Amino acid sequence: MPRLTKPLVLVGPMGVGKTTIGKKLAKALDLEFLDTDAMIVARHGAIAEIFANLGEAKFREFEVEAVSQALEKVAVIATGGGAPISETNRTVLGQKAVVCYLSTDGRHMSSRLSGGGRPLITDGLDSWRKIYAERKHSYESIANFEVDTSNKPLAVIVQEIKIQLGINE
Ligand code: S3P
């Protein structure tokens, strides 16, 4: 199987499935899976508590550190939905990674957001839509390719990403 020479980074809105897709993809590519949210939680505690006690700006600092550390490995890396709003992150992703933007039409999103733990989702789907609209351009601007996840089974999404990577087996 052809090997990736750069980390593969998944970006996209909250709840699109970056972690689930990333894990499955890492397995299929026989690569390590990293999740920048999980790295932040392991080091600094729950995301909701970081936002509440230290503020979003501090969370974004932790996120820049986590992204830069994750990029040291040729791994599949899931990022938080807000990672590309940082110019530092956009620059380093452009230099060091292959970036896959996972997009969605949002139709099945409300059930996925119901788990909580996302401090920016204060008003359900309305806040999700607003935030996605604000960030769409950032996702598109750093993506090497986009995969629309709307209404597709996990296996199909993983296969589409592999095709985009030229790993079609
Ligand atoms: C955020 C997305 C979350 C998490 C944090 C902030 C965002 O990750 O990093 O709650 O700003 O979009 P997911 O995209 O995995 O939900």
Side-chain angles (χ1 to χ4, degrees), residues 14-15 18 37 47 51 59-60 63 80-82 118-120 135:
M14 285 177 259
K18 298 178 293 284
D37 278 344
I47 290 177
F51 270 71
F59 175 80
R60 298 299 169 200
E63 193 167 48
R118 291 185 172 100
L120 295 179
R135 293 176 178 170

Side-chain angles (χ1 to χ4, degrees), residues 40-73:
I40 295 168
V41 170
R43 210 165 295 159
H44 303 285
I47 290 177
E49 280 171 29
I50 298 172
F51 270 71
N53 299 331
L54 305 173
E56 180 174 351
K58 197 72 194 170
F59 175 80
R60 298 299 169 200
E61 279 178 32
F62 295 156
E63 193 167 48
V64 166
E65 279 168 20
V67 167
S68 128
Q69 200 197 340
L71 288 173
E72 287 168 13
K73 290 187 173 165

